[in-house]
Amino acid sequence: MLPQRPNLDQLRRQAKELRDRARSGDTDRLGALPVTLASAQLVIAREHGFASWAKLKDEVERRTTDLAQRVEAFLEASVDGRTGRAVRLLAETPAIAGHDFRTAVVLGDAARVRDLLARDPGLATRPDQRSGWTPLLGVCNSRWHRIEPERAAGLVEVARLLLGAGADPNGAVGSPGRRGHCSPLYAAAGLAGHPALARLLLEHGADPDTPAALYHTAFHDGDHACLRLLLEHGARAEGSATLGAAISVDDAQAVRLLLEAGVDPRVPLPADSLAEVDPATPPIPAVTAALEHDCSAELIEVLLERGADARAEAHVMAVRRGRTDVADLLTRYGARDDTGGIDRFLGACVRADRAEAERLRPPLDRLGTDDLASIVHAAYHDNAAAVDLMLDLGFPLDARGDDGATALHAAAAAGGLRTVRLLLARGADLEAVDTTWGSTPLTWASVGSGFRMGHAEAPDWVAVVQTLIEAGASPHEPWVAGKPPSGEVGALLRRYGLAPENDEDEAQA
């Protein structure tokens, strides 16, 4: 059992000593677990009565962290999206709620905020010494309206009190376009997704074109309330970038709202709005971008109806990807048919039309790198029938797609269990590394679970990770700093003794 005041550094040293002894041959305490620091940490945790090192670490921190430190952790979790951690901290230490003005603000405790402002009106505009944020930024970033919807009205009232006491609705921290930049409207509309709060800010003079606000609503605004609100108030400056964001998440309704507001679909989209990070990447035509992101025919038709170019190259891409619905749509809107035999062959493969693919089959040496990458694209969709057909037709298992990923990387990232099992049965290399990050399919599955990557109809990252490990995948750092797995996959990795090196990364809630 843990002592009343446990020492986390001492427990870490015990785990390292256990690992070192195991490396020297004394593996009794590790049993069948791999000889890693993560395994040693798991053993230490179990010996103290905890199911994982993370749970042991949480308990140690709970016993040894003073209230002021827990308040800081609570405030950070309440505004950066780690809602599970915020809830746990408040449940474990209810005194956090009444600790100071900042906790009252992020919790939407309007009565307490009103009382404290009456005593010291300067609190409304005084920046926090640690973060530099004003109280208005705190309330606008708070996620407690999502954690406990009954707090939503209180958060709006807190913002009203702050604005009435002199808070600046346009008071931002950081420089636009740089990490750390935040304004009240960007936070309320683009990050927290709180339309009533965003409306209050606009009524008090917030600039609807505040940097990043319109763009981020396309990623986080599921019911489009904040997007409608910003457009109604004249936001337009980020129109093309916002259109790119809406396309990248296949949101036909958001695209329709943007086009109705006057965003021009004929203007090529900034590459960075579509998650293309290479600054040298030229702007991308809207329909091409929609095809690249496997958008619905409905979204693509909305673009075409509003004047987006029906380009011949988009028609070729649609045929190669087996998107006969989009190819026909583009033809109706005037796209020229420039497809060749290889394009139609690849389309037949993606559709798993064996007879047509065999009829059109070219010599394998006529297929270029991009052609062979079709198998990786099919794996990213968990299209096991297409992958199986392509392998039968001679596509190599080690064909590379984006980022130098193999089909197994792509299927693992997408949680595509059917395709993962098929590829393993066909001899895919468990230890292949991509050419960008040098990571294995197991790492791709871990990261994919956290980001919910791919286009599998029924993704199952837990089963994929378990399948890869039981097939013999080596634990090549399945945890990537800043890209944690889902909570379920994180728990599974820990059960296999595969916690992060110092277990500082938390799985996503």
Side-chain angles (χ1 to χ4, degrees):
M1 298 297 291
L2 279 176
Q4 189 60 35
R5 297 289 292 179
N7 185 305
L8 187 58
D9 287 337
Q10 186 179 60
L11 291 166
R12 284 189 173 122
R13 282 195 298 274
Q14 290 174 9
K16 290 178 180 177
E17 290 168 0
L18 174 57
R19 177 203 59 190
D20 293 343
R21 287 197 299 272
R23 286 176 175 173
S24 299
D26 182 5
T27 60
D28 288 349
R29 288 169 69 190
L30 287 187
L33 291 173
V35 180
T36 65
L37 179 59
S39 297
Q41 289 174 336
L42 178 61
V43 169
I44 295 294
R46 288 174 175 172
E47 290 176 350
H48 284 87
F50 295 88
S52 69
W53 176 260
K55 292 186 183 300
L56 169 62
K57 181 168 166 284
D58 283 347
E59 178 60 19
V60 171
E61 289 180 346
R62 188 188 71 78
R63 295 190 191 184
T64 59
T65 304
D66 64 27
L67 177 60
Q69 290 174 303
R70 294 180 71 76
V71 166
E72 296 299 333
F74 167 79
L75 290 169
E76 290 178 8
S78 294
V79 302
D80 68 7
R82 290 178 294 162
T83 54
R85 179 169 173 80
V87 169
R88 287 195 303 274
L89 286 164
L90 185 59
E92 292 168 356
T93 313
I96 286 174
H99 185 264
D100 62 16
F101 185 68
R102 300 170 304 162
T103 60
V105 164
V106 301
L107 286 168
D109 186 346
R112 192 155 177 274
V113 167
R114 186 181 292 108
D115 180 59
L116 292 170
L117 284 175
R119 301 180 195 178
D120 182 1
L123 286 171
T125 56
R126 192 172 299 149
D128 177 60
Q129 289 185 345
R130 181 169 179 174
S131 68
W133 280 15
T134 62
L136 187 59
L137 285 173
V139 71
C140 290
N141 275 283
S142 174
R143 307 302 203 270
W144 277 93
H145 65 297
R146 296 191 179 276
I147 299 170
E148 296 177 2
E150 61 271 21
R151 292 187 184 272
L155 290 166
V156 174
E157 183 59 23
V158 165
R160 193 185 309 278
L161 291 168
L162 295 172
L163 290 164
D168 182 0
N170 291 303
V173 294
S175 301
R178 293 181 178 274
R179 185 177 178 85
H181 167 75
C182 191
S183 68
L185 187 59
Y186 164 46
L191 298 179
H194 195 159
L197 189 48
R199 183 178 295 278
L200 177 68
L201 292 168
L202 289 163
E203 289 171 350
H204 280 76
D207 179 5
D209 271 324
T210 188
L214 186 65
Y215 173 72
H216 275 269
T217 58
F219 289 116
H220 304 289
D221 193 12
D223 61 3
H224 307 105
C226 288
L227 182 62
R228 291 177 190 274
L229 186 63
L230 292 174
L231 292 172
E232 287 168 3
H233 281 77
R236 296 292 185 276
E238 296 177 329
S240 292
T242 306
L243 181 59
I247 287 172
S248 72
V249 294
D250 193 13
D251 190 337
Q253 180 59 19
V255 167
R256 185 176 284 108
L257 289 171
L258 290 163
L259 299 185
E260 288 173 353
V263 175
D264 189 348
R266 296 169 299 179
V267 176
L269 307 176
D272 58 0
S273 72
L274 296 153
E276 299 288 346
V277 295
D278 184 351
T281 303
I284 302 169
V287 173
T288 301
L291 277 164
E292 286 281 5
H293 286 81
D294 297 289
C295 291
S296 66
E298 176 194 1
L299 183 150
I300 292 172
E301 186 158 20
V302 170
L303 292 170
L304 292 168
E305 286 173 345
R306 291 282 177 166
D309 295 333
R311 297 169 176 251
E313 55 265 36
H315 183 269
V316 170
M317 184 185 299
V319 169
R320 289 170 67 92
R321 296 198 169 188
R323 296 292 303 274
T324 55
D325 55 343
V326 175
D328 293 344
L329 185 60
L330 287 163
T331 298
R332 280 199 282 118
Y333 278 86
R336 189 177 67 252
D337 185 351
D338 283 351
T339 54
I342 289 178
D343 302 317
R344 292 188 289 275
F345 163 71
L346 294 174
C349 288
V350 172
R351 298 193 309 275
D353 185 340
R354 185 174 293 270
E356 181 72 359
E358 289 179 345
R359 185 182 70 81
L360 294 170
R361 180 180 184 179
L364 196 61
D365 59 9
R366 286 189 55 203
L367 298 181
T369 301
D370 289 344
D371 303 326
L372 295 174
S374 294
I375 192 172
V376 181
H377 185 265
Y380 201 53
H381 288 70
D382 194 24
N383 188 349
V387 171
D388 193 40
L389 173 57
M390 291 182 194
L391 292 173
D392 286 346
L393 294 174
F395 281 67
L397 276 166
D398 60 354
R400 302 282 176 159
D402 292 344
D403 301 316
T406 66
L408 186 57
H409 283 96
L417 182 60
R418 293 176 305 170
T419 305
V420 166
R421 285 174 171 167
L422 168 69
L423 288 164
L424 292 176
R426 300 289 293 257
D429 183 2
L430 270 172
E431 304 305 323
V433 295
D434 67 73
T435 59
T436 302
W437 295 285
S439 297
T440 65
L442 178 59
T443 303
W444 277 57
S446 171
V447 172
S449 72
F451 283 95
R452 300 195 66 80
M453 294 169 63
H455 298 277
E457 287 187 9
D460 189 344
W461 286 281
V462 170
V464 164
V465 168
Q466 188 167 5
T467 297
L468 292 171
I469 291 174
E470 293 182 354
S474 300
H476 289 304
E477 299 185 6
W479 296 74
V480 176
K483 298 178 180 179
S486 67
E488 297 84 355
V489 168
L492 176 65
L493 290 170
R494 286 187 170 100
R495 286 200 295 274
Y496 278 104
L498 302 177
E501 182 71 9
N502 290 313
D503 213 9
E504 297 295 337
D505 287 317
E506 294 186 12
Q508 296 188 4

